Each structure stands twice: as C-alpha cells, then as structure tokens.
Amino acid sequence: MADLKERLLPPKPASALNVREVANRPSASGRHAFQGVDVLGLKKRGQGLRSWIRVDTSGNSQAIEVDKFTMMRRCDLPARDLRLLDPLFVYPSTILGREKAIVVNLEQIRCIITADEVLLLNSLDSYVLHYVMELQRRLTATGVGEVWPSEGSDMNRRRGSRNFDNVFNNSSPDYLPFEFRALEVALEAACTFLDSQAAELEIEAYPLLDELTSKISTLNLERVRRLKSRLVALTRRVQKVRDEIEQLMDDDGDMAEMYLTEKKRRMELSFYGDQSMVGYKSVDGASISAPVSPVSSPPDSRKLEKSFSIARSRHESMRSSESTTDSIEELEMLLEAYFVVIDSTLNKLTSLKEYIDDTEDFINIQLDNVRNQLIQFELLLTTATFVVAIFGVVAGIFGMNFEIALFNVPSAFQWVLIITGICGVFIFSAFVWFFKYRRLMPL
C-alpha cells in the first residue's frame, strides 16, 4: 500500500519546496513570512489542475494532472457529469452511460471508465487504493481476453454462425470487455464497503439494544438515538445504490449505451470499410475528387459496388444487433449479481431497523406499565388520604366548645377511635373493591 501511494502521488517540484522553506523560515523580527498561504496550491487551484490515477487495459497505473476542460474533451463529457466526481460536493450514488465513457460515483469510488482506461481522482483513501490494486490484479492475472464458462449447448448452437468472427475479432458475447471489468470492481468495492458498514452497525447495535431493554437509562437512550441516526443515513445510501442498479437493469437503452468497446469496434469497422471502398474505387481507376459521370462508369462495376455495400450494411446491422442484445444480457447478469448483494445488505439494515422499532415498542410498553403502576399507587394513596381525613373531621367535631355527657365517660375516647377506625377501614375496603370491580387495579 505504501509503495502504491509513493508511485501514484505526483512528485513535488523543487520550486514548491523552496517556496515552503522560505515561508517557514523566520524573519529578523521573529515572524514567519507568507504564514498560512500556500502559493503552489493557489496556483494549482487557479489553473484547475487535478491529479488523476490512470489505469489502462494492461493494468498499468500512473498519476496524471489534467484540468477540467481537457478531461471534458478527452472523455467527451459535459461539465455536469464531472461535477458528480467533485469531492467538494456530496452527490448520491450514480452510474451514467455516455457516448464514450461511463461516469461512476459509488461511495468513495469516483471514476470515469472508457474503452481504454479508467480515470480516478487521486485520493489517499484506502478504498480507492484497494480499487486500483484489485483492478490491476484482475487485468494482469487473466488478461482482457478472459471468457466466461459456456451457458449450454443451445446457446452455442445459436452462436455457431458467428464462430468465424470470434476467431478473428474476439467478439464473443462471453467476452467481458474492459469497461465491464472496471465497473464490476467498482460495484464490488461499493457493495463490500456498504456491507462491511452494515455488519459493523449490527455488531454494535444488538448488544446495545439488549442492554437498553434490561436497563433504561439516559445514556443508553442517547446511544441508541445516535445508532438510529447512523442506520437511517446508511440505509439511504444503500437504497440509492440499489435503486441506481435497478434503474439500469430496467432500461435496455442505458445498458446498451454502456457497451463502449462494441461502439468503438463499430466505429473502427465503419472507418476501415470506408477506406476499403475508397481503395476499391481508386483501383478501379475512378478519381475520388473529380465527379464521375454515370455514362462513363461501367454498369457491372456499379452493380457490384451497390450489391457489396448493401450486403456489408446488412451484415453489420445484423451482427451489431445480435452483439448489442448479448451485451445487454451480459451487463444485466453482472448488474443482477450485485443487485442481489446490495439487496441483501438492505435487508440486513431493514431487519435491524425493525429490531430497533420492536425495542422501542417494548420500552414504551415498559414505560406505560410503570406509569400505570404509579397511577394505581397514586389512586391508593388518594384513597388512604381520604380515610385519614375522616379522623380529622371527627377531631374537629369533638373540638367544638360545647359540653355533652359523652365527655364525662372515661372510655368514650377509646370508643370514638375504634368506631372511626372501623369506618375508615370499611370505606377504604369499599373503594378498593370498587377499583377492582371496574378493573382500575389488577386483581
């Protein structure tokens, strides 16, 4: 990893080192000159140069510095597509198929894939370096000419008419082009990264939720709140990647647009076909620049040229339509494999969210139970206060300033306490029976 960083990082010019040494050198007054100003960085930002990592079809990588307009002309991309790769902006995951390139923005992997190269923003992020290393390993291990296993005798019989083309042009539908290999590594890196984050979240979430169910505290509730916020953000990112892959799978036009090698081969065949027609005309003795009179041209040569052109156009259209259909199937199988992976990750997050929701419901039920117990205790306490208030009423009555014969009886005070206590107990028992009868308290 360290060797790859040193190899991919662009070398620092000597002028930049001298400027920084002068900037860090203290002056006579003890202050640093140009403190807080990076002159080289300002110049580079003014020019709009960006460092890119270029990986070709042979697996060779190098660091290049290209400005925005040069990259637009090089890959034939509009400016809005390059903004998707800008690390200063946060855009959702996107896969765009253009005429000569595929724009990929999947988590940390932001790259431009063409038929001949992959261009990534030069970043020291470990996932970007792992992407470069994995792409180099796959390109150098098996080469670009790797083929997939056969899909059955029926498919081979259907493709038997194109065996001659496969020998010379290596245009078999089982052939995985360079852009699909780079796209596969990008999808694998993004899906692996999201799945690892989901696994880490699961490992952290389940013990915390179990602890919360056993002990409800402010600290545990705050930790669960942060966990749920991370879960919602991760679910949104995974859902966006899943929707992007599903949208590509549902649109055959977008998938056909991403087959860059096939489009490049058609352009080359068309160019070579035009050159062969020009050579045929020149051999036939006709001038290319001067207009040819239809009277002076031999009728047999015109008929032969016309029939050859019609046959060649029909052959090219049939072969391009068949290869386009096969490439769509090929790309669809590739996208479907990673759609299953990202859908599995989304199911994990959905299950975790449901577990959090169930935990919240369980905690709410526990809190409601505690609240009901407090209400019942408050009801009993209110009833007991009412019974005790009866003694206060009796004491107030006998505290009046009047004289009766009951005051002269020695045991009158005891009988008053006994009768008042019996009445209080009876009234309290009556209230408790009423509460149980109305199911306001558990039996």
Side-chain angles (χ1 to χ4, degrees):
M1 185 70 69
D3 297 338
L4 183 63
K5 286 184 180 180
E6 294 178 358
R7 185 156 46 91
L8 294 180
L9 284 176
K12 297 180 180 179
S15 61
L17 297 177
N18 296 333
V19 168
R20 290 181 180 175
E21 288 178 0
V22 172
N24 294 327
R25 186 181 304 165
S27 62
S29 60
R31 298 181 180 179
H32 291 274
F34 307 106
Q35 187 173 3
V37 178
D38 190 355
V39 180
L40 180 63
L42 291 177
K43 183 178 180 182
K44 185 177 292 187
R45 285 193 292 270
Q47 292 177 351
L49 293 177
R50 288 236 174 126
S51 181
W52 296 77
I53 300 176
R54 178 184 178 272
V55 182
D56 57 10
T57 55
S58 301
N60 301 320
S61 63
Q62 62 177 345
I64 59 176
E65 289 190 355
V66 184
D67 59 357
K68 183 177 181 181
F69 298 101
T70 304
M71 185 62 66
M72 290 168 58
R73 291 191 299 268
R74 180 172 183 167
C75 302
D76 195 11
L77 292 174
R80 63 177 178 271
D81 291 344
L82 289 181
R83 280 197 296 269
L84 296 175
L85 308 179
D86 197 334
L88 300 178
F89 300 98
V90 179
Y91 288 99
S93 298
T94 309
I95 303 176
L96 299 177
R98 297 302 185 222
E99 182 64 26
K100 295 182 180 180
I102 301 174
V103 182
V104 178
N105 178 17
L106 294 174
E107 296 300 319
Q108 282 84 1
I109 307 300
R110 301 186 178 190
C111 62
I112 301 174
I113 303 174
T114 64
D116 302 321
E117 60 186 3
V118 177
L119 298 168
L120 297 99
L121 284 174
N122 194 353
S123 174
L124 297 180
D125 191 280
S126 60
Y127 289 96
V128 177
L129 299 179
H130 280 306
Y131 172 79
V132 175
M133 294 174 61
E134 180 64 21
L135 182 59
Q136 288 178 337
R137 186 188 66 81
R138 296 192 183 186
L139 292 177
T140 55
T142 57
V144 185
E146 181 187 2
V147 295
W148 286 359
S150 177
E151 298 175 2
S153 59
D154 296 337
M155 190 68 70
N156 291 330
R157 283 196 299 269
R158 183 171 64 86
R159 298 168 182 168
S161 59
R162 285 173 291 165
N163 289 333
F164 187 78
D165 295 333
N166 296 340
V167 171
F168 291 95
N169 298 329
N170 197 17
S171 59
S172 171
D174 291 336
Y175 161 69
L176 194 62
F178 170 74
E179 64 271 15
F180 288 177
R181 287 173 174 267
L183 180 62
E184 181 183 9
V185 177
L187 288 171
E188 181 179 351
C191 294
T192 304
F193 173 71
L194 293 175
D195 189 70
S196 63
Q197 283 199 341
E200 292 177 1
L201 202 61
E202 280 185 333
I203 295 174
E204 182 182 355
Y206 287 112
L208 179 59
L209 294 174
D210 294 338
E211 182 181 357
L212 182 62
T213 54
S214 60
K215 180 182 179 182
I216 302 174
S217 63
T218 305
L219 179 60
N220 290 337
L221 289 174
E222 178 64 21
R223 292 170 61 188
V224 171
R225 185 190 66 81
R226 295 177 182 176
L227 180 69
K228 190 173 182 180
S229 300
R230 291 168 52 194
L231 175 64
V232 171
L234 183 60
T235 304
R236 190 182 299 113
R237 289 158 54 192
V238 173
Q239 183 69 44
K240 180 58 183 175
V241 175
R242 180 185 180 277
D243 293 342
E244 192 67 25
I245 297 177
E246 186 177 11
Q247 183 179 359
L248 283 176
M249 293 172 59
D250 293 339
D251 196 338
D252 294 344
D254 290 345
M255 287 193 291
E257 194 73 19
M258 298 171 66
Y259 201 79
L260 305 178
T261 304
E262 179 66 22
K263 290 192 290 186
K264 181 181 177 182
R265 187 181 65 84
R266 290 179 201 165
M267 293 177 62
E268 292 177 352
L269 289 177
S270 177
F271 176 76
Y272 292 146
D274 295 339
Q275 292 292 331
S276 63
M277 290 299 298
V278 171
Y280 172 77
K281 290 181 180 179
S282 63
V283 169
D284 216 13
S287 175
I288 301 175
S289 59
V292 180
S293 174
V295 178
S296 61
S297 301
D300 294 337
S301 62
R302 289 203 313 270
K303 291 181 180 179
L304 180 61
E305 178 183 345
K306 185 176 181 180
S307 61
F308 178 74
S309 176
I310 293 175
R312 185 171 61 87
S313 62
R314 287 181 179 177
H315 176 69
E316 288 295 330
S317 62
M318 291 176 61
R319 189 168 62 179
S320 63
S321 63
E322 290 177 354
S323 61
T324 301
T325 304
D326 292 335
S327 67
I328 290 175
E329 294 176 357
E330 187 175 303
L331 180 58
E332 188 173 5
M333 288 191 297
L334 176 64
L335 294 176
E336 187 177 359
Y338 290 98
F339 178 80
V340 172
V341 175
I342 200 68
D343 189 65
S344 175
T345 304
L346 184 62
N347 291 334
K348 289 181 183 178
L349 297 176
T350 304
S351 302
L352 182 58
K353 186 177 183 303
E354 291 177 355
Y355 190 82
I356 292 177
D357 293 338
D358 294 341
T359 304
E360 289 180 351
D361 294 339
F362 178 74
I363 291 173
N364 290 330
I365 291 173
Q366 281 187 334
L367 294 177
D368 291 339
N369 186 25
V370 173
R371 190 180 300 110
N372 291 334
Q373 292 178 358
L374 292 176
I375 292 174
Q376 293 173 6
F377 179 74
E378 184 181 2
L379 189 59
L380 291 176
L381 189 61
T382 304
T383 305
T385 304
F386 175 74
V387 172
V388 173
I390 296 176
F391 286 90
V393 172
V394 174
I397 292 174
F398 282 94
M400 295 294 180
N401 191 11
F402 61 90
E403 293 183 1
I404 57 176
L406 187 60
F407 291 161
N408 298 324
V409 178
S411 59
F413 179 72
Q414 298 176 357
W415 283 104
V416 169
L417 291 178
I418 292 173
I419 294 173
T420 305
I422 292 174
C423 293
V425 171
F426 177 77
I427 295 173
F428 183 79
S429 301
F431 272 108
V432 172
W433 176 84
F434 177 76
F435 294 152
K436 291 184 178 181
Y437 176 75
R438 297 300 299 269
R439 297 185 182 277
L440 299 177
M441 293 180 61
L443 298 176

